Amino acid sequence: MSASQNSMNPTSQNTPINLQNYPIPLSPPLNPLSKEMELARAMSASSKSSLFALSKSDVIYQDQWLIAVNKPQGVYCESVLNSVPQVLDCLVESSELSEGTVARPELHLANRLDRDTSGVMIITKLNKVASKLVKAFTDHKVRKTYIALCIGSAPKWEKIAIKSGHGRSKFGAFRVYAVSDVGRSLPGGSTVKDMETSFEVLSINGQGSFKEPSEFNNDKDILVVEEKAVIDADAKKDEILVRAFPRSGRTHQIRLHCQYLGIPIRGDVKYEGVCEWKGRTYDSHELHAESLSLEHPVTGQPLMFRAPLPLWVTQMV
């Protein structure tokens, strides 16, 4: 093969692989040590999930069409779903059945939570109800609030909205991307999606007051992500309790945005959260799905489901 032919061959060893067409992630890559810790956590959760059973005290709401429960930390969603028949009270009704006939429950997860995230989960009892509720989530008609305990430098903002891109890097990990990269192709064949979360600070080092969830007004800072964050690793670390309002529903959205803001969630080793703090080791991240607000998929009535706050929240306020 001639030199000229070799230079035209894209597979030549002399030709560097061209990655210029792919957007560059703006959040750090996964810590290699986190893989071992995540594996250990997954094995522990599998064991815990195999023995898990919902109790009546876990039920937040129930009618003939759906049930809302409080998922504990360290349990997989599928185990919660499999345990639902043990706490079903209300009969399942369907307009397609003759009067007095009860349908067999067709249980479906309406929303999913990460393994170590606790809080509100909705399970529907009929396929048609499931499809309506899935559409409501897809159309962003369900309002969600989360509580997170973060470790980092106390932010200068009280409220902030962060807008960025979201996608998988060439190694398969979820990363933050620039807003200007939304729509661009990624190595695995997917594209960068938009991602937006609003945050408010509830307390810093235990100083503050727990506020009820409310609608955000325009009185907040807006951060549009276009470059890597500059984080002072040597700065004083504080305990920061925040409430998050995800405007989109991307995988690990709140965890990624907390990392980008320099306040990773305590215990979230995948996204730079500390696993050891003040002499204690944390085996899971501290993120709680506080509430879900939506219209009932059948009656149209407004609903708001709230999960009891975990101990790590009440100890901070």
Side-chain angles (χ1 to χ4, degrees):
M1 182 182 293
S2 67
S4 60
Q5 288 176 315
N6 186 60
S7 64
M8 296 174 62
N9 187 348
T11 61
S12 168
Q13 294 181 353
N14 297 326
T15 305
I17 300 174
N18 183 9
L19 298 178
Q20 297 181 43
N21 292 330
Y22 292 129
I24 299 173
L26 301 181
S27 55
L30 298 186
N31 183 340
L33 294 178
S34 70
K35 293 183 179 180
E36 294 181 13
M37 299 184 70
E38 282 292 307
L39 178 59
R41 290 180 177 186
M43 293 177 65
S44 175
S46 294
S47 177
K48 183 178 179 180
S49 296
S50 66
L51 302 172
F52 176 72
L54 282 168
S55 65
K56 294 290 186 181
S57 62
D58 296 318
V59 178
I60 299 170
Y61 173 88
Q62 183 172 188
D63 62 24
Q64 58 264 50
W65 299 289
L66 56 86
I67 178 172
V69 300
N70 181 25
K71 173 193 169 299
Q73 190 179 57
V75 171
Y76 288 104
C77 291
E78 290 75 14
S79 297
V80 175
L81 178 65
N82 293 336
S83 183
V84 165
Q86 303 174 40
V87 294
L88 288 180
D89 279 341
C90 301
L91 301 178
V92 181
E93 297 181 0
S94 174
S95 59
E96 295 181 356
L97 300 175
S98 58
E99 187 175 350
T101 303
V102 177
R104 181 179 180 181
E106 301 161 336
L107 301 176
H108 296 276
L109 293 171
N111 67 309
R112 305 183 70 90
L113 298 176
D114 292 337
R115 176 195 67 217
D116 292 336
T117 301
S118 58
V120 183
M121 278 183 56
I122 300 177
I123 295 96
T124 57
K125 300 181 180 181
L126 289 171
N127 290 336
K128 287 193 172 182
V129 178
S131 62
K132 289 183 178 180
L133 209 45
V134 167
K135 188 175 189 304
F137 275 97
T138 303
D139 294 343
H140 307 302
K141 293 183 178 179
V142 179
R143 182 173 179 267
K144 300 170 280 188
T145 69
Y146 289 74
I147 304 290
L149 181 53
C150 307
I151 304 296
S153 296
K156 295 180 173 59
W157 45 266
E158 292 184 7
K159 295 183 177 182
I160 195 171
I162 174 171
K163 300 179 181 181
S164 74
H166 171 277
R168 285 185 183 270
S169 67
K170 63 179 179 179
F171 300 112
F174 290 106
R175 308 279 289 278
V176 170
Y177 289 83
V179 168
S180 57
D181 286 331
V182 171
R184 292 182 61 188
S185 297
L186 291 167
S190 61
T191 59
V192 177
K193 304 290 196 306
D194 65 296
M195 179 166 68
E196 179 179 353
T197 314
S198 294
F199 291 93
E200 65 175 342
V201 174
L202 298 177
S203 75
I204 297 175
N205 297 324
Q207 301 299 309
S209 59
F210 190 84
K211 310 167 189 174
E212 293 299 308
S214 60
E215 283 293 340
F216 260 64
N217 52 34
N218 293 325
D219 187 21
K220 61 178 182 291
D221 296 325
I222 298 177
L223 173 61
V224 178
V225 174
E226 288 294 348
E227 57 188 23
K228 292 184 178 181
V230 179
I231 307 297
D232 184 359
D234 297 323
K236 175 180 175 290
K237 297 292 190 294
D238 299 290
E239 296 175 336
I240 307 142
L241 192 69
V242 300
R243 175 178 283 122
F245 302 79
R247 307 297 182 181
S248 45
R250 308 303 177 201
T251 303
H252 301 174
Q253 171 170 332
I254 296 170
R255 298 164 63 186
L256 282 163
H257 273 166
C258 283
Q259 179 192 30
Y260 186 86
L261 290 170
I263 52 170
I265 298 172
R266 188 166 71 182
D268 192 2
V269 293
K270 180 172 284 189
Y271 298 115
E272 297 188 304
V274 297
C275 62
E276 293 184 359
W277 180 252
K278 294 185 176 179
R280 179 182 167 186
T281 299
Y282 292 86
D283 296 326
S284 55
H285 64 245
E286 295 184 323
L287 178 63
H288 180 67
E290 177 191 27
S291 72
L292 286 174
S293 302
L294 65 155
E295 286 188 359
H296 195 290
V298 177
T299 67
Q301 293 297 311
L303 297 173
M304 182 178 183
F305 303 135
R306 295 189 66 177
L309 297 175
L311 185 61
W312 55 263
V313 176
T314 58
Q315 288 177 336
M316 291 297 296
V317 292

